[in-house]
Amino acid sequence: MASIRQRTSKGGESTYSVLFRHEGKQTSKAFLTRAHAERFQQLVQLLGAGRALAELSATDDNPLTLDDLAEQFFTWKAQDVEVRTIRDYRRDYDNWIRPHLGHRAAASIDERDVQTVVDKMRGRLDAKSVADRHMVLHSIFKWASAKTRRLVDHNPCTETQLPKRTRKPPKGLTVPEFQALHAAAGRVDPDAADLILFLVSMAWRFSEATALAARGIEDWGDEMYATVQRVHRRDERGAMTIVEDSAKSAAGLRRAKVPPMCAAMIRRRLVGKGVDELVFTNGQ
């Protein structure tokens, strides 16, 4: 246990000493403010005297906390990804990383600290979710430890043992189920039937397919290709909007061959449409 003792000089100035045991000896560390003394006291109780002193030394040499690094990283990363992506990164950081490491001096965080956080997540999240949140922390340290920045000396996330992912059987419609669904949609809403055929044939996301414009189709007669050029997204107000040159990832901006049955359907839908008109529409 660590305790705090206040000392007042004859001139009325106060200092605060944290008393603790280190390597079998009673030791003290003086601070000018109670807030700093209480923070060090918490570190001693949380990490032990040795690591608390190392943390204090790292803070003196490099006062940046992990919260500081994260904020700088998110600001930098926002230039390359969508607002939604940064919002998701911040949410995962705030919920799973900040409570454990955010207040720590970034330079003092080591591989054991990272592994401890990951192990705490294992009992509450599946393997993929743990890996996704570890990726956020890994990205922060990779950015900060780059030779062009050198905000920290190294990335403590490179040796983390993540939980193994187990492959699950694919979920989806069987061929007879798809045929029944497609036929029923054709009777009730032909536009929906065409969209269903495209989604199953191309394995596109709904947000990609519904944003497909005529200019995204290349029809060479014997072959047809469709390219993801934009997607539907909800803005901060919840309204749907089309975002150009965007996908869930860089690999999402892909060009794929359209199967013959699907190609015939697209040719039918493109009759009379301009290059910027949507391929798939409904009654509205």
Side-chain angles (χ1 to χ4, degrees):
M1 293 294 292
S3 60
I4 298 176
R5 179 181 298 171
Q6 181 178 353
R7 300 179 185 275
T8 304
S9 69
K10 293 181 179 180
E13 297 178 349
S14 295
T15 58
Y16 303 85
S17 295
V18 179
L19 308 179
F20 58 97
R21 294 191 67 81
H22 179 48
E23 297 180 347
K25 298 179 180 179
Q26 186 68 24
T27 310
S28 66
K29 191 75 176 177
F31 298 88
L32 296 178
T33 67
R34 175 172 286 277
H36 286 93
E38 289 176 346
R39 182 178 181 277
F40 182 69
Q41 179 190 33
Q42 292 172 354
L43 287 175
V44 171
Q45 294 171 346
L46 179 66
L47 305 176
R51 297 195 67 198
L53 289 169
E55 170 90 6
L56 186 65
S57 176
T59 303
D60 291 339
D61 295 337
N62 184 353
L64 284 174
T65 65
L66 181 59
D67 282 346
D68 295 330
L69 284 191
E71 186 57 38
Q72 292 185 42
F73 169 75
F74 293 142
T75 300
W76 172 81
K77 191 67 175 176
Q79 304 172 81
D80 302 322
V81 298
E82 296 179 9
V83 173
R84 186 184 70 165
T85 302
I86 290 296
R87 185 170 63 243
D88 290 345
Y89 285 171
R90 288 184 181 277
R91 177 201 62 208
D92 290 342
Y93 177 83
D94 289 343
N95 290 341
W96 299 97
I97 300 171
R98 181 195 294 274
H100 306 290
L101 299 176
H103 65 286
R104 295 272 307 276
S108 75
I109 296 173
D110 61 18
E111 286 75 6
R112 184 171 64 174
D113 295 320
V114 176
Q115 188 67 57
T116 298
V117 172
V118 166
D119 291 344
K120 288 180 179 178
M121 286 191 245
R122 292 184 67 157
R124 303 175 61 185
L125 300 171
D126 61 29
K128 181 182 182 305
S129 297
V130 173
D132 288 344
R133 284 144 185 81
H134 177 266
M135 178 274 296
V136 174
L137 185 60
H138 187 288
S139 299
I140 292 171
F141 273 109
K142 181 179 180 181
W143 172 84
S145 61
K147 292 180 179 179
T148 54
R149 295 183 186 87
R150 295 183 179 177
L151 299 176
V152 292
D153 292 333
H154 81 298
N155 182 351
C157 301
T158 57
E159 298 181 15
T160 312
Q161 294 181 335
L162 297 172
K164 293 183 179 180
R165 303 188 192 187
T166 55
R167 184 178 294 275
K168 299 179 181 178
K171 297 179 181 179
L173 297 174
T174 63
V175 172
E177 287 172 340
F178 162 70
Q179 291 173 337
L181 175 64
H182 187 243
R187 293 190 296 271
V188 177
D189 187 343
D191 289 324
D194 289 347
L195 178 57
I196 289 171
L197 176 61
F198 183 84
L199 290 171
V200 172
S201 300
M202 302 297 291
W204 282 26
R205 296 177 176 86
F206 184 85
S207 61
E208 297 168 341
T210 56
L212 177 64
R215 58 183 162 88
I217 299 296
E218 302 171 50
D219 191 354
W220 299 94
D222 56 337
E223 291 185 343
M224 178 184 286
Y225 293 87
T227 301
V228 177
Q229 298 175 327
R230 55 190 195 169
V231 294
H232 262 119
R233 289 276 186 258
R234 289 193 182 277
D235 61 22
E236 295 183 356
R237 297 172 296 177
M240 293 299 295
T241 182
I242 291 179
V243 182
E244 294 283 347
D245 300 323
S246 179
K248 187 175 178 64
S249 64
L253 296 169
R254 61 199 182 280
R255 177 177 181 265
K257 188 175 181 178
V258 182
M261 181 177 174
C262 187
M265 175 270 293
I266 291 176
R267 290 189 183 101
R268 169 172 52 79
R269 296 193 67 91
L270 289 181
V271 174
K273 289 195 174 183
V275 293
D276 288 322
E277 291 188 66
L278 294 171
V279 175
F280 299 103
T281 55
N282 57 23
Q284 298 175 335

